[in-house]
Amino acid sequence: MNKPLPEDPMMRDLVKMARRHQMTRRTALAGAGAAATTLALAACSPAGSTSTALTPAVDVSDSEKTLVWHNWPAYMDESEDGKTYPTLARFEEQSGIKVEYKIEIDDNNSYYGKVKDQLALGQDIGADIACPTEWLVARLVNLGYVQTFDAANIPNKANLAPAYLGNSFDPNREKSLPWQGILSGIGYNKKAYKAATGKDAPTTMSDLWAPELKGRVGVLSEMRDTIGLILLEQGIDITSDSSLTLDAFMNALDFFEGKVTDGQIAKIKGNSYLEDLKNGDTIAAVAWSGDITVINAETDSDNFGFVFPESGATISADSFVVPMGATHKKNAEALINYYYDPVNAAELAAWVNYVTPVVGAKEEAVKLDPALAENQLIFPSAETLAKTHAFRALSGSEEQKFTAAFQKILLGA
Amino acid sequence: MAFAAFGQNAGPSTVAPTKSGRVAWILLLPGLMYLGLFFLTPLFSLIITSLQVPDASGEIGRYQYGFAIENYWLVIESYWPHIIRSFAYALAATVLALLISYPLAYFIGVKARRRPLLQGLMLTLVIAPFFISFLLRTIAWKQIFSNESWIVNSLQSSGLLASDQYLVGTPFMVIFGLTYAFIPFMTLPIYSTLERLDIRYLEAGADLYAGPATTFRKITLPLSMPGIISGTLLTFIPIAGDYVNASRDFLGSTETAMIGNVVETNYLQINDYPAASALSVLLMLAILLLVTFYVKRSGTDDLL
């Protein structure tokens, strides 16, 4: 009974089904066979043709104290030897829930590609809880792929920073809760930037278009960050439907395309943009806030800086969701509640360097390290937060159009 | 050498006795099942997907079965430059690899014959890069030619590159990476044919007053043709579908995207599965046509 479940989601379902029913061998086999046939047929059916709403899987949290969590790399505090996760180990000890922490998400789109067929059928995707980025969370919520939290199990939800409430897809945060907030602005190599332009630091997005930086500018392949910053520079309010229209977007995209074709922007990357900053290929780049602290620590220097452009930075978050097919929602809620405790949130923030969404964590961080608590990139003040803007939620057809147009530029003509 | 079998079917094959027909079929069964399961099934699924149409929801990445043959026209219309670029890069890299590999294979297979130690060592060196991951090797090239590297710095100071020009991201770099990665696939088949070249033919050529160039043209080259054909096929086909070297994360840029990158973007980023599948089918058909034509023209029909 205690054998780990197989990785493959379909096999997982079969094993679970067989276990749940504890029947005679013959009926179990017949059931599994029938299930296999239906699963196989279901897998062949086109995604999206299921018009009936999905229903949450039966929660077996009370009898099974386990939880599988899919998350991004470098997103959890590690012990000195890098072998254990201290805050997570403490949660396991306190709650008695065994957590399988898996670094499965490297890119939102490819993660979605991997799990979408199971999600569409309401099957187990192999995770009880996952933390994709907000725009993907919005898609999952809109499509009805995720379960509603039981607020009574997450009393610490009261600590959620109000800035994360009131979005269009989940205004009261009933189905998604932020894990870490992400700011994107401009990361730059201090020495090389000074040498190339004579200025100390970039202050606007236009500084990236300086002729001295031709071929040495990088941007993120994450559309909402890169185009979001350009839109802000152009005076568009990216949070509003009326300001960020298709025309405004295409206009910013044309500008971006110009910068790509004339060779000003040389690198368009995902996570690997850090390599280019480190080896000097790029002098200034659109960057994620937490990473700059990390590469300074890695290179044991203070070579890299991070600034908000004057027109504003973009803010997003990676958020907890529980897929419809997950069978340990209550355990997941216990985990979220644990990380929404300011003490734990502060300890985590000190390691991952991203914006913590938990109110009160700053006060706890002062006790750990007063300098850390002053870091605006981890504990932004209200004043700092006022300079950050979240890219508005896109409708299905908008997302299709925007993504296709953006990706087309990345492929060149 | 696995490649040897590929180049070595010159003589007429003897017809198998008909009686053993059933045994042959039984022996073939595992192979046929493998092909059916792992080639025909995915191929069928690919073709079905390439004909899908968007469903009514209008959400990204949602398609239903249909018969949208126009998907093929749409991808050709949108991505014909990438298709042409892929084959141009593949042609350039194959020709370069041939020019580099032939002398190398000739030296190992003919000149180094009397020194087995040297021959063995050189063969090992040709294969050695396979001991390191393909991705790591490509990243290493990216580092070697990075913007702040001495190669780029000295090219810039000597005026061969303008001060705002760099190597990584240019077509040159991508073709370089492709050529490098596939040189062993070209060298080994050519080596396996040249290794069996009878030196006495060359001596006879010289006795009959043929100069070295004529001997090469009339004797060595025709005899090594099977190796050249299999070598070029083994490089051209995978290069045309390669998506690593030309990717923005490795040696390429937005200017160098090949058809593999287009398929990847359509599949994973835009979630346009029909377009990605249609492109894959087109790539497969184009390669099939080109290869058939090439093999027919080069007179080595036995390969088909």
Side-chain angles (χ1 to χ4, degrees), chain B residues 43-283:
Chain B
L43 182 67
F44 180 70
S45 153
L46 188 74
I47 293 171
I48 295 282
T49 312
S50 73
L51 297 170
Q52 284 185 341
V53 290
D55 76 357
S57 73
E59 293 284 341
I60 192 165
R62 311 261 282 196
Y63 296 90
Q64 61 190 17
Y65 293 122
F67 194 73
I69 203 89
E70 64 268 22
N71 284 346
Y72 284 85
W73 304 124
L74 285 175
V75 293
I76 293 177
E77 200 187 326
S78 312
Y79 300 113
W80 62 268
H82 301 84
I83 299 174
I84 292 174
R85 184 185 296 147
S86 296
F87 288 113
Y89 284 6
L91 185 69
T94 307
V95 170
L96 279 172
L98 179 63
L99 291 178
I100 295 168
S101 294
Y102 199 93
L104 185 66
Y106 189 84
F107 183 84
I108 304 174
V110 180
K111 294 282 171 194
R113 252 181 224 181
R114 297 221 193 93
R115 279 175 280 178
L117 192 68
L118 180 70
Q119 200 180 26
L121 183 74
M122 291 197 68
L123 269 181
T124 314
L125 284 178
V126 170
I127 309 169
F130 284 127
F131 300 154
I132 307 166
S133 148
F134 171 50
L135 294 183
L136 278 181
R137 284 182 281 135
T138 316
I139 291 176
W141 282 121
K142 179 174 165 276
Q143 291 290 1
I144 292 168
F145 288 96
S146 70
N147 296 354
E148 292 292 333
S149 65
W150 66 266
I151 296 179
V152 171
N153 283 336
S154 44
L155 282 175
Q156 283 180 342
S157 53
S158 65
L160 286 169
L161 276 181
S163 64
D164 61 353
Q165 281 185 319
Y166 304 96
L167 285 176
V168 173
T170 58
F172 162 80
M173 199 66 230
V174 176
I175 294 171
F176 174 92
L178 290 168
T179 310
Y180 159 78
F182 288 93
I183 276 180
F185 294 95
M186 183 69 92
T187 310
L188 293 175
I190 300 180
Y191 158 78
S192 76
T193 51
L194 283 177
E195 191 211 7
R196 291 190 307 271
L197 177 72
D198 195 332
I199 304 283
R200 286 173 301 182
Y201 291 152
L202 305 184
E203 290 165 359
D207 289 346
L208 295 168
Y209 296 100
T214 318
T215 319
F216 177 77
R217 198 162 44 83
K218 297 259 184 193
I219 301 170
T220 317
L221 196 62
L223 282 176
S224 59
M225 239 10 222
I228 295 177
I229 302 290
S230 46
T232 43
L233 290 179
L234 280 173
T235 46
F236 185 86
I237 299 171
I239 290 178
D242 185 85
Y243 66 96
V244 173
N245 284 283
S247 136
R248 278 178 288 117
D249 286 330
F250 292 91
L251 303 176
S253 67
T254 52
E255 289 166 28
T256 63
M258 291 169 66
I259 196 162
N261 306 97
V262 179
V263 172
E264 188 196 14
T265 299
N266 270 292
Y267 202 89
L268 291 177
Q269 302 295 328
I270 313 178
N271 295 329
D272 190 345
Y273 311 116
S277 310
L279 273 168
S280 307
V281 174
L282 281 177
L283 177 69

Side-chain angles (χ1 to χ4, degrees), chain A residues 12-36:
Chain A
R12 235 179 138 92
D13 265 358
L14 288 177
V15 172
K16 277 189 179 168
M17 225 175 269
R19 281 188 189 172
R20 209 169 294 149
H21 294 294
Q22 293 293 310
M23 299 173 281
T24 64
R25 177 183 286 201
R26 184 178 294 171
T27 42
L29 280 176

